[in-house]
Amino acid sequence: MSPSSSRGARRAVFGLATTLLALAGPLAAPAQPATAASTPVSTVTYSAADLTAALSYWTPARMKEVSRAVDLGPTGPLSKPWTGKGIPSIGRLFFADSSGRDTWCTASAVTSGNHSVIMTAAHCARLGSSPVNTYSDIVFAPGYAKGRTPYGRYAVKATMTPRSWAEDSVHDVAAMVVATPSSGKRLTDAVGAQNIAFGRAAGEPVTAFGYPATTPQRGEELLYCAGTSQRASGDEHRVPCDLGGGASGGPWLAAFNAATGKGTVVSVNSHGEGHGGGSPMYGPTFDTTAQAVYDAAQRG
């Protein structure tokens, strides 16, 4: 996939699932769809040329530019700036959406066999209910803070989402595989990793992190909410949290230790109440489908 044709017309847009779905637009065929119809995971891979183009496009200056381009209103009362130990395994995920517009989500590096997997929301990888509408120029900036990328930038070479998301907007979780820089280390060797668990029941304390486009931070600082998860309808859990658009895909960390910056990822931010966010925050259950997505990525 060549992203260059739409760059001149891009503008910044942000949001949780409800907002991004409302901004659906046409896109050419995905980079390299590589999933048999009988499997539960939909995979898109990107070429070496795509990775080079993504890194060339998402310079630190452009990352700050996209932050300045939007204001989703005041940061909510439940969302607090993270002022503790730095958490390099959490970062901003920059990309062009299915209409070619610049935006971002949040993602976290997790333990994996290939040392190169990040977890995020499916709507940060592709448009739901539209199998050909995948995203491009995807770059992960671990430990991003106020324009700084202290651990470099990692281009995403493959995305894995539930086939149910691609076809029916069900189960908003994604795993991505990042490429190792030619002169650097594999991702989790460089920034560490959060643990990840599947099949966890609701009812445990979690800390949700993200980079929302709310004022005054506007995506430049890591924010968090803390609360006890509850069972929600369908395939979701919910937690008291008002992180806004841009926090999508941020991890829900159980047993989070502020001194070490480590916990266990048990879900990711998907959407809030109503258009663009609002408490509570909903996240997908990490069931067998989520585990299949993760397993496909750590084999990638």
Side-chain angles (χ1 to χ4, degrees):
M1 178 190 301
S2 174
S4 59
S5 61
S6 62
R7 280 179 178 158
R10 285 183 183 167
R11 63 179 177 83
V13 291
F14 309 88
L16 300 171
T18 51
T19 304
L20 287 176
L21 290 172
L23 293 166
L27 186 71
Q32 295 178 32
T35 307
S38 60
T39 66
V41 179
S42 181
T43 298
V44 175
T45 59
Y46 298 88
S47 69
D50 291 329
L51 305 188
T52 298
L55 290 172
S56 295
Y57 188 69
W58 284 113
T59 62
R62 185 168 292 278
M63 292 174 180
K64 281 197 64 79
E65 178 183 332
V66 78
S67 297
R68 292 190 293 264
V70 70
D71 181 352
L72 294 184
T75 296
L78 300 178
S79 301
K80 308 296 183 184
W82 177 249
T83 58
K85 176 184 174 66
I87 311 178
S89 57
I90 301 175
R92 285 177 80 181
L93 184 72
F94 297 88
F95 58 95
D97 72 7
S98 60
S99 294
R101 296 171 291 197
D102 293 344
T103 186
W104 78 77
C105 279
T106 303
S108 59
V110 297
T111 56
S112 60
N114 58 14
H115 297 226
S116 300
V117 172
I118 60 176
M119 299 299 294
T120 187
H123 75 256
C124 301
R126 64 189 307 151
L127 193 66
S129 304
S130 185
V132 301
N133 282 343
T134 58
Y135 302 159
S136 62
D137 286 353
I138 311 176
V139 170
F140 179 56
Y144 183 94
K146 298 181 179 179
R148 299 188 303 274
T149 56
Y151 302 93
R153 298 165 302 135
Y154 288 76
V156 169
K157 66 178 184 179
T159 66
M160 288 77 175
T161 56
R163 180 163 295 278
S164 58
W165 176 263
E167 297 178 351
D168 299 306
S169 300
V170 175
H171 217 117
D172 190 13
V173 61
M176 298 182 178
V177 185
V178 301
T180 301
S182 58
S183 59
K185 298 179 179 180
R186 291 182 296 181
L187 176 65
T188 60
D189 294 334
V191 305
Q194 301 292 341
N195 293 321
I196 187 167
F198 301 92
R200 297 277 278 263
E204 61 183 334
V206 298
T207 306
F209 287 92
Y211 289 88
T214 49
T215 301
Q217 293 85 13
R218 295 173 73 169
E220 289 295 295
E221 298 178 47
L222 183 64
L223 274 63
Y224 75 100
C225 297
T228 300
S229 65
Q230 297 178 319
R231 180 72 184 176
S233 61
D235 65 344
E236 295 185 312
H237 292 172
R238 65 187 181 194
V239 66
C241 187
D242 53 13
L243 291 169
S248 296
W252 291 17
L253 296 180
F256 177 66
N257 184 326
T260 63
K262 296 291 185 68
T264 298
V265 181
V266 295
S267 186
V268 295
N269 299 323
S270 174
H271 63 94
E273 286 285 358
H275 185 78
S279 183
M281 176 74 75
Y282 292 83
T285 57
F286 271 19
D287 56 11
T288 55
T289 298
Q291 185 160 11
V293 166
Y294 164 77
D295 286 341
Q298 69 169 342
R299 292 192 300 266

